[in-house]
Amino acid sequence: MKVFIGADYRGFERKNQLARFLVENNCEVVDEGPYEYNEGDDFNDSAVKVALEVRENPNTRGILICDSAHGVTMQANRFKGIRAANCDSVESTILAREHDDANILCMSAHFVDESLMGEITKAFLATDFKNLERRVRRINRLDEREDYD
C-alpha cells in the first residue's frame, strides 16, 4: 500500500520512525515533509500535501503527526473526500476505518509513544471499511456542502 506521511516539528522524529516502520512492513512511503527539523514550521504545509495526495490517489492512505494531532486533523479535513481521524488507541482506529472509512490517520507525538504508534498504524492499514448503506450515506453527507450558514 502507498502511504503519504507528514508532520510538523513536534512530530518530525516520530514521522521518521514511522516511515522506517512502514517500509519494514512492505509499504511504499511518500514523505511529504518536513525533511529537516525546524522548530518554526507549521503543521499546515505537510497536512495539505498529504490530504491532496490522498484525495488524488484513492487507493492510498495518509498519516499525519503533530503535537496533539488536533491541528493536522483539522487541516486535512478541510478537503472534500478526506476523512482524517485523530486516533490514540487501536480500538478507535479500527472504528474510524470500519465505520467512517478514514483515509488519513492523525496521531499525537505527545500522547502516543512509538510502540503504540506502530500498533495503531497496523490497525489503520489492516482494517477495511464495513460498507453498509447507512455508513456510506453518512460519509457522503460529509461532502454535501462547504458553505454552512
Side-chain angles (χ1 to χ4, degrees), residues 7-148:
D8 69 354
Y9 75 97
R10 292 295 306 238
F12 178 74
E13 287 301 323
R14 288 285 167 81
K15 174 190 65 96
N16 292 339
Q17 293 166 345
L18 192 59
R20 288 188 294 273
F21 174 84
L22 289 165
V23 169
E24 290 168 4
N25 284 275
N26 301 312
C27 292
E28 178 185 350
V29 177
V30 179
D31 187 342
E32 295 293 352
Y35 307 109
E36 58 187 41
Y37 181 86
N38 175 3
E39 194 168 327
D41 71 7
D42 296 321
F43 61 77
N44 308 81
D45 299 328
S46 59
V48 167
K49 289 177 186 177
V50 168
L52 292 174
E53 288 289 357
V54 169
R55 185 173 72 178
E56 295 302 316
N57 298 283
N59 294 319
T60 64
R61 303 256 176 93
I63 300 175
L64 292 166
I65 306 166
C66 74
D67 189 37
S68 67
H70 298 310
V72 290
T73 305
M74 290 179 208
Q75 180 65 72
N77 278 321
R78 300 273 178 167
F79 297 91
K80 279 188 174 186
I82 295 302
R83 295 170 304 282
N86 181 346
C87 298
D88 60 4
S89 71
V90 170
E91 295 82 5
S92 69
T93 304
I94 291 169
L95 290 174
R97 285 289 308 134
E98 286 182 346
H99 293 198
D100 302 307
D101 198 17
N103 52 13
I104 296 181
L105 169 64
C106 302
M107 291 184 284
S108 166
H110 186 82
F111 298 114
V112 179
D113 67 30
E114 183 180 359
S115 174
L116 181 56
M117 198 170 277
E119 294 304 310
I120 289 170
T121 299
K122 283 181 187 177
F124 178 67
L125 298 176
T127 304
D128 292 324
F129 173 55
K130 290 193 175 178
N131 193 6
L132 301 175
E133 184 274 330
R134 72 178 187 276
R135 292 186 180 143
V136 172
R137 181 184 68 244
R138 292 171 185 164
I139 290 168
N140 289 337
R141 292 192 64 205
L142 294 172
D143 291 333
E144 280 180 350
R145 315 177 30 176
E146 290 188 24
D147 62 340
Y148 286 98

